[in-house]
Amino acid sequence: MQELCHWIDGKEAKGTTGRFSDVFNPATGEVIARVPLASATELAAAIDSAEKAQIGWAATNPQRRARVMMRFGQLIHDNMDMLAELVSREHGKTLPDARGDVQRGLEVIEVCMGAPALLKGEYTDNAGPGIDLYSMRQPLGVVAGITPFNFPAMIPLWKMGPALAAGNAMILKPSERVPSTSIALAKLAQEAGLPDGVLQVVNGDKEIVDAILDHPTIQAVGFVGSTPIAQYIYGRAASNGKRAQCFGGAKNHMLIMPDADLDKATDALLGAGFGAAGERCMAISVAVPVGDETADALIERLVPKIEKLKVGPYTAGDDVDFGPVITKAAQERINRLIASGVDEGAKLVVDGRDLKIQGYENGFFCGPSLFDHVTPDMEIYREEIFGPVLSSVRAKTYEDALKLVMDNDYGNGTAIYTADGDTARDFASRVNVGMVGVNFPIPVPLSYYTFGGWKKSAFGDLNQYGPDAFRFYTKTKTVTARWFSGIKDGAALNFKALD
Ligand code: NAD
């Protein structure tokens, strides 16, 4: 069996703790590798080396750092198929979807090629007699990225791109379920010219995360994962004086207005509800048709299309719509939640629980499921299911539908399907959710905007990637400088204006 490594000081490093976690191929249910789980001692060695490497990297001019990003981006592009294969093998998503995972990460690296412009400071000459005032953005030092299983390439790239381009060193702690992509990316970054030590990949579980959160050298923590862990990490990092931004789970609603193009809305729900087996933080898990007529027509269109969805291993070719879920435990949890929906009175219109795929009987597959007549008190509505389960909550009016979204604890993404500009505009303006789609089901902003949810979908300040990420990974220093030619000034004991 393959034994995976950490990436420390520009080299593969075997684990020394004797603790490992199994890595599965979710399509077959087989253990394909084991990943070492690091201890605080191994982490300390990685941080020590990162701290030394960061000094030279921060002193490298931003344009040279951007050139490393340029070569890194090119290498990611050239190795797209290799990276997608790694993603699919450990995660289970289809190859076209895995390429999308790599691509959306690559796009953030592309923005990082423009880092010098994003790192510029401000300058005011003659702010007072002989006085110039300027600000500069400086890297924080050694920062950490802690990432989830569901985007093995994209989210590590969202973390490492801006942090490194800004002159930091990063300790990346990828999900122990999908560790190989991060190691492959670290190797490509080295090939692109990133100095050894600037990026360290340390694998592990809660033990290593806690060690990261408590280590005094780590200046900032960028986390993505489930809400309870996001909230925990935010609290512990902040109480240790670190900058933290922690992105959590989601329950994304899509409103379908009576005037919506129902065929387009149906197709949107298929992709956004079931793509990647529903394991996306921007997946639509709740459809909110407005009016019973809209709801009936929507269900009528959805059912035959859902029943035609093809579920299978990524190796079965491009006509597979989605693959397995990540673990046996996830599969069992999803099936349990479906049973709870039935028990609580929701109407299970399509039941995906008993899917068996010949030759892959031990894979962690869940077929697509559709619930109608779901109500907000049900567990299937309150919980983030993170599986291929779409719930329809019928709303009587637009205001009721809007209130449903507003009252939900999560605020990552939402969408509205309508032909009416005023309704769409009202929704976008009033809804308390971070990312909004108008006739667009998964509104993940492009890499030169920023990504982030509201409410329990994010803790801390500033969004991921784009200009916000450069603010998060730098601190501002402001200099007030005076030169004395022609200026007569005595001692000033009072606080006063510069003029
Ligand atoms: P997770 O919270 O289980 O794990 C995320 C990371 O935290 C992993 O690296 C894991 O090793 C670590 N971790 C897990 N338990 C921990 C603990 N008790 N203490 C310290 N660290 C711990 O999340 P996941 O299952 O890997 O990912 C799925 C979740 O991520 C979903 O809730 C999804 O909505 C969310 N997500 C959010 C976004 C976003 O940007 N808001 C993006 C992608 C995924």
Side-chain angles (χ1 to χ4, degrees):
M1 173 169 331
Q2 193 188 2
E3 188 173 314
L4 302 173
C5 293
H6 309 296
W7 181 258
I8 296 180
D9 235 351
K11 306 183 268 304
E12 288 188 340
K14 278 189 175 300
T16 60
T17 59
R19 292 175 63 235
F20 291 88
S21 180
D22 288 339
V23 179
F24 289 86
N25 175 342
T28 60
E30 283 163 2
V31 177
I32 49 174
R34 51 184 209 155
V35 61
L37 304 175
S39 67
T41 314
E42 284 169 300
L43 175 74
I47 291 177
D48 194 41
S49 135
E51 196 175 13
K52 293 191 181 97
Q54 192 265 338
I55 296 167
W57 180 239
T60 303
N61 80 48
Q63 198 140 14
R64 285 178 194 271
R65 294 200 302 258
R67 278 188 207 127
V68 173
M69 289 293 138
M70 196 171 76
R71 289 191 292 269
F72 186 34
Q74 186 63 50
L75 285 166
I76 293 169
H77 179 268
D78 295 346
N79 288 278
M80 179 70 80
D81 289 345
M82 176 274 285
L83 292 167
E85 169 79 26
L86 284 181
V87 168
S88 292
R89 205 162 73 99
E90 293 181 353
H91 177 284
K93 62 178 78 175
T94 65
L95 279 171
D97 201 36
R99 281 187 210 105
D101 184 332
V102 180
Q103 177 63 29
R104 293 306 292 259
L106 169 57
E107 287 168 13
V108 167
I109 301 300
E110 286 167 356
V111 167
C112 293
M113 298 173 192
L118 289 159
L119 291 167
K120 278 193 305 194
E122 297 166 314
Y123 193 96
T124 305
D125 72 334
N126 281 321
I131 296 173
D132 302 323
L133 190 59
Y134 59 96
S135 66
M136 53 180 110
R137 288 186 175 281
Q138 295 190 323
L140 303 176
V142 183
V143 299
I146 302 168
T147 56
F149 80 82
N150 67 325
F151 282 100
M154 181 180 84
I155 296 181
L157 287 167
W158 287 6
K159 297 290 151 211
M160 68 173 85
L164 300 180
N168 300 285
M170 171 163 269
I171 306 290
L172 177 67
K173 205 302 282 175
S175 166
E176 62 276 34
R177 307 197 194 296
V178 292
S180 296
T181 312
S182 287
I183 298 283
L185 288 170
K187 289 180 182 171
L188 294 180
Q190 181 186 56
E191 198 180 331
L194 190 73
D196 292 349
V198 172
L199 174 65
Q200 316 263 6
V201 182
V202 183
N203 291 299
D205 54 5
K206 178 172 169 52
E207 184 175 326
I208 196 72
V209 171
D210 286 347
I212 288 172
L213 299 176
D214 293 344
H215 199 291
T217 303
I218 300 284
Q219 299 298 308
V221 178
F223 170 87
V224 182
S226 58
T227 287
I229 310 298
Q231 192 159 9
Y232 162 73
I233 287 183
Y234 180 67
R236 189 154 172 170
S239 72
N240 282 328
K242 300 182 196 314
R243 195 177 278 201
Q245 54 170 202
C246 301
F247 298 90
K251 196 83 185 172
N252 305 314
H253 299 61
M254 184 170 120
L255 271 59
I256 301 100
M257 297 301 295
D259 62 2
D261 180 327
L262 278 189
D263 291 326
K264 293 229 166 23
T266 302
D267 286 345
L269 284 169
L270 279 188
F274 301 107
E279 290 177 326
R280 292 181 181 138
C281 68
M282 289 292 277
I284 295 287
S285 49
V286 185
V288 192
V290 173
D292 277 335
E293 220 174 290
T294 314
D296 291 340
L298 184 72
I299 296 287
E300 196 183 305
R301 281 169 170 77
L302 275 169
V303 171
K305 290 199 168 187
I306 291 175
E307 284 172 346
K308 278 204 201 91
L309 287 175
K310 191 155 177 231
V311 185
Y314 76 95
T315 43
D318 283 0
D319 61 332
V320 168
D321 292 304
F322 66 86
V325 298
I326 188 71
T327 55
K328 181 111 194 112
Q331 184 193 38
E332 287 168 358
R333 178 177 171 274
I334 291 162
N335 287 340
R336 186 193 67 70
L337 281 163
I338 293 173
S340 89
V342 174
D343 291 347
E344 290 188 283
K347 184 173 173 199
L348 184 58
V349 188
V350 181
D351 184 353
R353 282 176 294 183
D354 285 331
L355 178 77
K356 283 273 168 288
I357 298 174
Q358 210 186 354
Y360 294 88
E361 288 79 4
N362 295 325
F364 311 140
F365 290 98
C366 291
S369 293
L370 174 67
F371 275 110
D372 195 4
H373 297 286
V374 174
T375 54
D377 52 312
M378 293 178 181
E379 195 183 4
I380 48 168
Y381 178 78
R382 286 183 280 110
E383 285 286 312
E384 181 186 35
I385 301 176
F386 224 54
V389 182
L390 180 65
S391 295
S392 176
V393 179
R394 294 174 174 227
K396 284 200 170 57
T397 64
Y398 164 69
E399 287 296 334
D400 289 347
L402 176 63
K403 186 169 181 319
L404 183 76
V405 185
M406 303 276 281
D407 287 349
N408 193 273
D409 276 351
Y410 295 105
N412 216 37
T414 188
I416 186 167
Y417 268 65
T418 180
D420 182 63
D422 279 325
T423 309
R425 191 166 177 273
D426 184 79
F427 181 71
S429 164
R430 286 167 66 198
V431 75
N432 54 0
V433 170
M435 293 168 281
V436 182
V438 174
N439 296 321
F440 201 89
I442 306 191
V444 175
L446 287 173
S447 52
Y448 42 94
Y449 282 75
T450 67
F451 180 108
W454 289 13
K455 299 187 276 184
K456 288 197 174 163
S457 294
F459 301 87
D461 199 7
L462 297 173
N463 279 355
Q464 307 190 76
Y465 64 73
D468 266 13
F470 282 86
R471 287 188 197 104
F472 181 74
Y473 287 115
T474 55
K475 55 198 168 197
T476 303
K477 185 183 282 172
T478 313
V479 180
T480 307
R482 173 156 53 188
W483 298 97
F484 295 104
S485 69
I487 294 168
K488 291 199 182 75
D489 211 353
L493 273 71
N494 294 324
F495 216 49
K496 59 172 191 155
L498 293 179
D499 55 342

